[in-house]
Amino acid sequence: MSLFLLVLVIAIALGIIGAVADGLLYLLFIGIVLFVVDLLLLGSRFTRRGRAHR
């Protein structure tokens, strides 16, 4: 869970820097992609825990 929060903070920081700084729009896109990947990994982690092992 701490890795999720760390990646989330990095994604938000990159997004803010990319939106505010002139000429660094690519950081905004990197932040968005990082945020989406982080959410997908979190979702897959929770779906794997819900299954029963046989």
Side-chain angles (χ1 to χ4, degrees), residues 5-6 36 38 44:
L5 293 175
L6 177 69
V36 169
D38 197 29
S44 69

Side-chain angles (χ1 to χ4, degrees), residues 5-51:
L5 293 175
L6 177 69
V7 174
L8 184 65
V9 168
I10 292 171
I12 291 172
L14 285 175
I16 291 172
I17 292 170
V20 173
D22 189 34
L24 295 177
L25 190 61
Y26 65 93
L27 287 178
L28 176 64
F29 294 126
I30 291 172
I32 291 170
V33 168
L34 196 60
F35 180 72
V36 169
V37 168
D38 197 29
L39 288 179
L40 290 174
L41 289 175
L42 182 70
S44 69
R45 185 175 182 186
F46 279 129
T47 56
R48 278 190 283 144
R49 288 187 181 199
R51 296 181 185 162

